[in-house]
């Protein structure tokens, strides 16, 4: 079955520390990959996306992600987090032929002083 | 003004009542979607529409129906609400150009007593 796995439901980190949020997908065909962020009491906002080309994708707010086809991963990274990065982060993929997003279960990033 | 709006933002209702959630968009996109979000489950697709005459079931359509009144409007109905439909509901739109990135509304929090 096609799916997205976010192994960590919650990631606590101190301010200014680096962070990596993990995402693995399962698909037998080509995919587009996305990271969305949901701040408290808000909708989802696109952080970054991989469609093709360079496997290192840079997004908003200093986040980046690397597409690794052999490991079917699309981990999200930030070298130095801020308190304002506290939010829930969703990884999602879309089969290039189906136009439907499949979401992971989300990772809650908790940044403390 | 927000590109994707949802009304109401919050709704409390009783078991058995009919409820309609509305979504409007000013992005000019043909494709619209309804998702529900439950803690620990991520977002799951209820229905989607690729144009005014196209309606498709998602992975959890039972107990829901939709109406695409115009390119800009896509409504979700619960014909007879039940408590396990208590959730956060999101509308989204997309354009197939540029990888079909989805843009989300702010969400409707529905509580069924």
């Amino acid at each position: 079955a096609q799916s997205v796995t976010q192994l960590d439901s919650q990631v606590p980190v101190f301010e200014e520390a680096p962070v990596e949020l993990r995402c693995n997908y399962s698909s037998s065909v080509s995919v587009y990959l996305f990271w969305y962020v949901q701040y408290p009491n808000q909708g989802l906002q696109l952080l970054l996306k991989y469609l093709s080309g360079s496997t290192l994708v840079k997004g908003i707010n200093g986040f980046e992600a690397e597409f690794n086809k052999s490991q079917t991963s699309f981990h999200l990274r930030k070298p130095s987090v801020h308190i304002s990065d506290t939010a829930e982060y969703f990884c999602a993929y879309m089969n290039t032929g189906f136009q439907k997003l499949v979401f992971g279960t989300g990772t809650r990033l908790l940044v403390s002083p | 003004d927000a590109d994707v709006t949802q009304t109401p933002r919050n709704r409390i209702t009783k078991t058995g009542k009919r409820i309609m959630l509305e979504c409007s968009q000013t992005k000019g996109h043909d494709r619209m979607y309804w998702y529900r979000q439950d803690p620990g489950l991520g977002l799951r697709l209820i229905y989607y529409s690729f144009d005014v005459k196209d309606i498709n079931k998602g992975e959890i359509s039972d107990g829901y129906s939709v109406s695409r009144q115009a390119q800009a409007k896509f409504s979700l109905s619960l014909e007879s609400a039940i408590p396990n439909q208590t959730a956060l509901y999101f509308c989204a739109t997309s354009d197939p150009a540029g990888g079909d990135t989805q843009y989300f509304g702010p969400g409707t929090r529905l509580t069924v007593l």
Side-chain angles (χ1 to χ4, degrees), chain A residues 33-51:
Chain A
L33 293 158
F34 304 80
W35 275 99
Y36 282 86
V37 59
Q38 183 180 28
Y39 298 105
N41 300 314
Q42 294 187 27
L44 277 72
Q45 178 182 357
L46 181 69
L47 265 181
L48 49 80
K49 61 185 177 184
Y50 171 79
L51 304 181

Side-chain angles (χ1 to χ4, degrees), chain B residues 5-71:
Chain B
T5 57
Q6 293 183 234
T7 56
R9 293 294 313 279
N10 289 282
R11 181 71 183 269
I12 299 173
T13 190
K14 295 182 179 181
T15 297
K17 294 292 187 181
R18 184 179 188 275
I19 296 296
M20 179 180 286
L21 309 182
E22 299 187 345
C23 176
S24 295
Q25 53 112 348
T26 58
K27 298 188 76 66
H29 291 168
D30 285 327
R31 298 181 175 183
M32 298 187 74
Y33 310 79
W34 275 104
Y35 294 89
R36 67 176 278 175
Q37 183 182 17
D38 299 277
L41 296 180
L43 277 78
R44 293 179 291 167
L45 184 62
I46 306 172
Y47 271 94
Y48 62 102
S49 169
F50 284 172
D51 65 43
V52 174
K53 296 182 180 180
D54 176 76
I55 301 289
N56 304 280
K57 292 182 177 181
E59 60 180 306
I60 54 163
S61 60
D62 288 348
Y64 301 95
S65 62
V66 291
S67 173
R68 185 78 184 269
Q69 300 96 324
Q71 185 203 39

